[in-house]
Amino acid sequence: MKRVFIAGDAYTTHFFDLALDQDEELSLLPSLQVASYHVARFALIMRDDGLSGLGIFPGDALLISDFSMEPVKDRPVLIRQEGQFLVRIAADVNPLECLFTTTREQDTPMLLPSENIRITGVVSGIIPRSSS
């Protein structure tokens, strides 16, 4: 088994802060046990229901990896913009602008200039709240 540290809370509705600068600081945080083959660098706890259409609910742990062997289109990703973060579905990613959505109809899709954002992680696994 491998320990994956819980770096904080995740939201699809608004940008949030995360202290990801130093791996040493992550090791001081609570952790989850995952299979040793998992590539997750850290975990976030989902705090809203913007991804419920994908079976991801408030309280579930999102396992975040630095990379994906598959395209990120239509997958939940961790986005960084001006030092803050957001978890959304990558609906369209191109060199000019990127479109990020949720599974809730009432949430407005976000169209962000590619030069102002960075996809810093991909949701590579989920641990349901009852399992964590």
Side-chain angles (χ1 to χ4, degrees):
M1 296 296 278
K2 169 182 168 179
R3 282 182 11 167
V4 174
F5 299 100
I6 302 170
D9 294 333
Y11 299 90
T12 61
T13 54
H14 62 275
F15 282 90
F16 56 91
D17 294 318
L18 271 181
L20 296 177
D21 297 335
Q22 308 229 355
D23 282 337
E24 296 94 32
E25 290 177 16
L26 283 178
S27 67
L28 301 174
L29 298 172
S31 64
L32 300 168
Q33 293 286 333
V34 299
S36 57
Y37 58 81
H38 207 289
V39 295
R41 182 170 158 237
F42 59 90
L44 298 171
I45 304 300
M46 193 74 231
R47 294 298 180 197
D48 64 37
D49 62 354
L51 300 177
S52 61
L54 299 177
I56 301 171
F57 302 99
D60 290 353
L62 305 177
L63 301 176
I64 308 292
S65 299
D66 291 333
F67 64 91
S68 174
M69 299 300 284
E70 302 167 11
V72 297
K73 185 177 179 338
D74 298 326
R75 294 186 55 200
V77 295
L78 180 65
I79 307 151
R80 185 181 78 213
Q81 180 182 33
E82 297 178 9
Q84 291 196 306
F85 296 84
L86 181 74
V87 174
R88 286 243 171 160
I89 299 165
D92 184 28
V93 178
N94 66 64
L96 296 177
E97 55 193 13
C98 299
L99 182 67
F100 299 101
T101 63
T102 71
T103 61
R104 294 171 9 133
E105 288 183 25
Q106 63 265 38
D107 292 337
T108 304
M110 287 183 151
L111 187 62
L112 301 172
S114 296
E115 64 190 26
N116 294 345
I117 60 113
R118 181 169 179 215
I119 296 175
T120 60
V122 179
V123 175
S124 57
I126 301 148
I127 299 176
R129 176 180 52 195
S130 59
S131 301
S132 51

